[in-house]
Amino acid sequence: MPEYPEMEHYRRLLAERIAGQPITKVLVTRPKSINVPVETFEQELVGRTVWFVERRGKMILFHLDNGKRLLLHLMLGGLIRYESHTLLTPEGLPHERPDRTVQVTIGFPAGDLCFIGLRLGYIHLLTVKETNAQLADLGPEPFDGRLTLEAFKARFKSKRGSLKNSLVDQHVIAGIGNCYADEIAFEAEIRPDVRISAIDPEAWERIYNAMHAVLKDAVAHGGYMELPLTNDDTLTGGYNERCRVYDRGGEPCLRCDGTIVQTELNSRKLFYCPSCQKEG
């Protein structure tokens, strides 16, 4: 599932291409992916201009010129693909489309098409009030200036589970998922399965700093998921080669002489080095 770095990278690329552009066509092939009747969805969008593109946690928000929002959550197995100057068939369908299933296609001038695959995700048309209500329970962004070290520690005070389970809890911090929780724990030299109650006070600063360092580096290298937005997008997936523990089970640790362990925690994959990551 795309996390903060992937969605922030997509947001930047999409903003460059569609901010200020009118929507020229809409094609929905699975009504369950949207929250209103297909006809309403199409009528509400065609002719509207995308003012700007925002990201909140793992979601992308398209702000429209009539004040409404498109809220996109790719969830597991979702994709975004943007094709420029796409040729259409006589039926108005694109000649070129991603290999994977596409549920919603949004067109822009010059034949540009944004393909959205939504295996488990959704794209909802919402008012400002509805958008705010849907996002109300999300935790703060990792780089929110108000999320000081003390505020960060306070987010975990009531948690009783493991560090990883708390890091991926979107009510605690928005945008972190399986991959980056493990990478943050590795950077902080602490095991991701350590209980919150067992974490030393000194370790919280390491975790806080590790969150910023890992996510900043991941955004700069396009995240770990290899699903480029466009044909000339060479950055997406660049962080995959920089992952130090995630999906590296059985490989040597890049920091010590240990071996990366792969196990499970509450049905989630878990990666860590037992030699240099502490249990508290």
Side-chain angles (χ1 to χ4, degrees):
M1 179 188 297
E3 303 178 33
Y4 172 101
E6 288 76 33
M7 298 309 285
E8 177 61 17
H9 178 55
Y10 286 154
R11 181 201 68 77
R12 294 177 183 182
L13 293 179
L14 286 168
E16 293 173 0
R17 289 158 175 78
I18 68 175
Q21 297 296 317
I23 295 172
T24 58
K25 66 172 74 269
V26 175
L27 177 64
V28 178
T29 56
R30 189 179 71 177
K32 287 184 178 180
S33 296
I34 60 178
N35 63 323
V36 296
V38 173
E39 296 78 10
T40 302
F41 192 78
E42 294 173 348
Q43 291 170 6
E44 287 269 6
L45 292 187
V46 174
R48 299 267 63 91
T49 296
V50 178
W51 270 359
F52 64 96
V53 185
E54 182 188 7
R55 181 200 48 75
R56 184 72 172 93
K58 300 178 183 181
M59 294 172 276
I60 285 181
L61 280 162
F62 301 91
H63 291 248
L64 305 179
D65 62 356
N66 62 353
K68 292 191 176 181
R69 313 281 192 264
L70 277 176
L71 180 63
L72 171 64
H73 197 332
L74 293 179
M75 299 183 73
L76 186 65
L79 69 89
I80 308 177
R81 179 73 180 177
Y82 194 91
E83 298 284 356
S84 299
H85 310 295
T86 304
L87 297 176
L88 302 180
T89 67
E91 295 76 28
L93 299 175
H95 277 292
E96 301 176 25
R97 42 192 296 129
D99 293 335
R100 295 163 64 181
T101 303
V102 171
Q103 281 77 35
V104 177
T105 304
I106 300 176
F108 295 92
D112 290 9
L113 293 173
C114 183
F115 299 102
I116 302 173
L118 297 164
R119 180 182 164 211
L120 298 175
Y122 56 83
I123 181 165
H124 286 176
L125 179 65
L126 304 170
T127 63
V128 173
K129 183 176 180 180
E130 290 168 338
T131 302
N132 292 339
Q134 188 135 342
L135 302 179
D137 291 336
L138 277 183
E141 293 287 316
F143 291 94
D144 188 325
R146 295 165 293 184
L147 188 65
T148 62
L149 174 59
E150 291 305 312
F152 177 77
K153 291 191 290 186
R155 305 293 302 176
F156 296 85
K157 273 188 177 179
S158 63
K159 309 303 288 183
R160 295 292 179 265
S162 68
L163 173 62
K164 174 157 185 171
N165 282 347
S166 298
L167 283 173
V168 302
D169 184 343
Q170 299 305 292
H171 299 95
V172 178
I173 306 290
I176 299 172
N178 286 335
C179 172
Y180 298 108
D182 286 351
E183 292 296 308
I184 290 167
F186 180 83
E187 176 72 16
E189 300 184 30
I190 190 168
R191 281 180 49 156
D193 56 351
V194 65
R195 305 288 294 181
I196 292 292
S197 58
I199 299 177
D200 292 336
E202 177 272 334
W204 282 110
E205 186 171 3
R206 297 202 314 270
I207 297 167
Y208 178 73
N209 291 335
M211 174 183 71
H212 290 150
V214 167
L215 295 180
K216 182 178 180 180
D217 189 43
V219 171
H221 290 87
Y224 79 98
M225 295 188 66
E226 298 174 333
L227 292 171
L229 184 79
T230 63
N231 286 331
D232 59 355
D233 173 15
T234 59
L235 186 60
T236 292
Y239 189 75
N240 190 41
E241 296 300 319
R242 299 176 67 84
C243 287
R244 291 184 287 176
V245 286
Y246 192 75
D247 270 348
R248 294 192 61 241
E251 297 181 25
C253 177
L254 299 177
R255 184 167 54 202
C256 71
D257 294 328
T259 300
I260 304 302
V261 168
Q262 175 178 349
T263 183
E264 283 195 1
L265 179 69
N266 300 118
S267 300
R268 290 189 179 96
K269 291 193 295 185
L270 185 78
F271 298 89
Y272 66 94
C273 174
S275 297
C276 63
Q277 289 181 255
K278 304 170 185 176
E279 297 188 44

